[in-house]
Amino acid sequence: MPHLRLITGPGTAQRRLVAKELAALAAKGYELGARTEGGDWRSLLTENRGRGLFGERSVIVVEEAQKLGLMPENLAPLMESEDAPVVILLVAKSEIPAIIPKALSGRCSHLKAEEPSPWSKDRDVIVADAARRHGVVIGRESAALIKELFEDSGEIASESDKVASFCAASGRREVTRDDVEALCLSSGGKSLLKLLDGICAGQVAQSLASLGALASGGELLPTLSALHNRMRIALYSAAFPRERGLFAKALGAKDYASRQADRAVSLYGHDKLLEFVTGLMLINSNEKSGAGASWRDLDALVINLMSGLRA
């Protein structure tokens, strides 16, 4: 009979945990039998009751295990303890309802892939370690930008290593913001970052040029979403200055975005930020319903926000 092992967690953190578990099982003599997706509980358990076809022990990986639904309790006799000859790794999203009945949860093992908090020191250590390995320095602004661009700790490690190795190979000692932009962003990503930061810094010419570049080849809704995520931090900070840190944390804003939002607060104030954020929401609604003028509406909204500022 097989043993069920549930693996949950976000993104690449989950994939790393699956790879680690497969390696641990391989060291115990388990061979990878198959990889499937979803399926049916009864078929999954009955078809994997015995030993592997080519070995004494085998492991089956079931991706998207949430598609199995809740396991029927009458299948309990088909489950075995952790030292079973067959282990079924159930890889599922962490936010889904339980797929194993509570009455049977004690007969399964559960591994959860954890990501460090967006504000934790763990992410700083990841960036610093990459810099140390290559004998360079990743400054505060460059590090903050990497952490802003990438959510997953594995991606942060990979991108930090990439920019650090490039800098070292170039014979330089410090990774600059330009290095991060050049190596970690697509052309569209660069334009979006320049738009967000340009608006927050009051750089009219940069903001309008970046908006034009996005309009010529990008999709409107992702741009609206990015603007809303950044500028609502500024709006809440302007409305509740004493609680700005609480709002930033609740919204998942990292240090980089929070600092940029603070610049926007000093430039525009509460009323103009409120008008801008509600305008973004209206454009988003109109775009989804087909009633808006899309990019022209966003052009007008940005120009209205930045009116009075010097180019």
Side-chain angles (χ1 to χ4, degrees):
M1 302 301 175
H3 173 70
L4 302 181
R5 186 163 298 164
L6 180 63
I7 297 182
T8 61
T12 55
Q14 183 190 72
R15 292 193 290 275
R16 287 196 303 273
L17 184 55
V18 171
K20 181 180 179 181
E21 186 61 18
L22 286 174
L25 288 169
K28 296 178 180 179
Y30 285 84
E31 296 182 358
L32 181 60
R35 285 182 178 269
T36 63
E37 180 176 312
D40 169 75
W41 274 113
R42 184 171 296 279
S43 298
L44 178 66
L45 294 175
T46 56
E47 292 173 7
N48 294 289
R49 285 185 296 181
R51 301 181 186 277
L53 181 61
F54 301 106
E56 290 294 308
R57 295 182 168 190
S58 64
V59 55
I60 309 299
V61 179
V62 181
E63 305 281 358
E64 299 289 332
Q66 66 273 8
K67 294 180 179 179
L68 287 164
L70 185 64
M71 176 184 172
E73 293 191 28
N74 62 4
L75 297 180
L78 298 177
M79 301 168 63
E80 196 170 323
S81 61
E82 291 197 40
D83 59 352
V86 179
V87 173
I88 299 177
L89 297 184
L90 301 167
V91 185
K93 296 178 181 178
S94 57
E95 67 270 20
I96 63 163
I99 59 175
I100 306 295
K102 289 184 179 181
L104 303 180
S105 60
R107 303 184 63 176
C108 305
S109 51
H110 183 190
L111 303 175
K112 187 173 183 180
E114 297 284 359
E115 275 291 323
S117 162
W119 319 280
S120 76
K121 295 297 182 183
D122 292 346
R123 295 175 184 267
D124 295 325
V125 171
I126 291 171
V127 178
D129 284 348
R132 191 178 302 110
R133 283 195 301 273
H134 294 280
V136 301
V137 174
I138 300 179
R140 180 183 177 186
E141 184 179 10
S142 300
L145 181 54
I146 292 172
K147 293 185 293 180
E148 173 71 15
L149 295 175
F150 303 100
E151 291 286 342
D152 180 78
S153 60
E155 291 180 324
I156 292 174
S158 175
E159 296 299 320
S160 298
D161 189 75
K162 179 168 64 179
V163 297
S165 62
F166 173 83
C167 187
S170 302
R172 293 186 287 112
R173 291 283 300 163
E174 183 173 358
V175 174
T176 67
R177 176 194 170 98
D178 289 341
D179 292 329
V180 176
E181 288 187 15
L183 296 170
C184 301
L185 285 170
S186 64
S187 59
K190 293 175 187 175
S191 294
L192 181 57
L193 181 65
K194 288 183 179 297
L195 173 63
L196 297 175
D197 290 355
I199 290 176
C200 290
Q203 297 171 341
V204 179
Q206 173 181 308
S207 301
L208 295 181
S210 300
L211 185 56
L214 288 167
S216 66
E219 296 183 11
L220 178 61
L221 289 177
T223 302
L224 291 172
S225 178
L227 281 168
H228 181 263
N229 288 340
R230 173 70 67 84
M231 301 308 288
R232 66 176 177 172
I233 303 169
L235 172 60
Y236 294 148
S237 295
F240 307 98
R242 293 183 179 179
E243 291 81 26
R244 57 175 293 279
L246 294 176
F247 278 103
K249 187 172 183 178
L251 295 172
K254 305 184 190 71
D255 292 341
Y256 183 89
S258 295
R259 289 201 302 271
Q260 295 293 329
D262 287 343
R263 300 175 74 181
V265 173
S266 64
L267 282 174
Y268 305 114
H270 173 268
D271 291 348
K272 293 206 76 171
L273 288 170
L274 177 61
E275 182 181 5
F276 185 73
V277 170
T278 54
L280 290 173
M281 296 168 67
L282 179 61
I283 296 172
N284 181 75
S285 176
N286 287 340
E287 174 68 7
K288 289 181 176 179
S289 65
S294 63
W295 288 103
R296 290 195 299 274
D297 281 349
L298 183 56
D299 284 338
L301 190 65
V302 171
I303 291 170
N304 180 64
L305 174 69
M306 305 187 79
S307 60
L309 299 176
R310 289 188 175 184

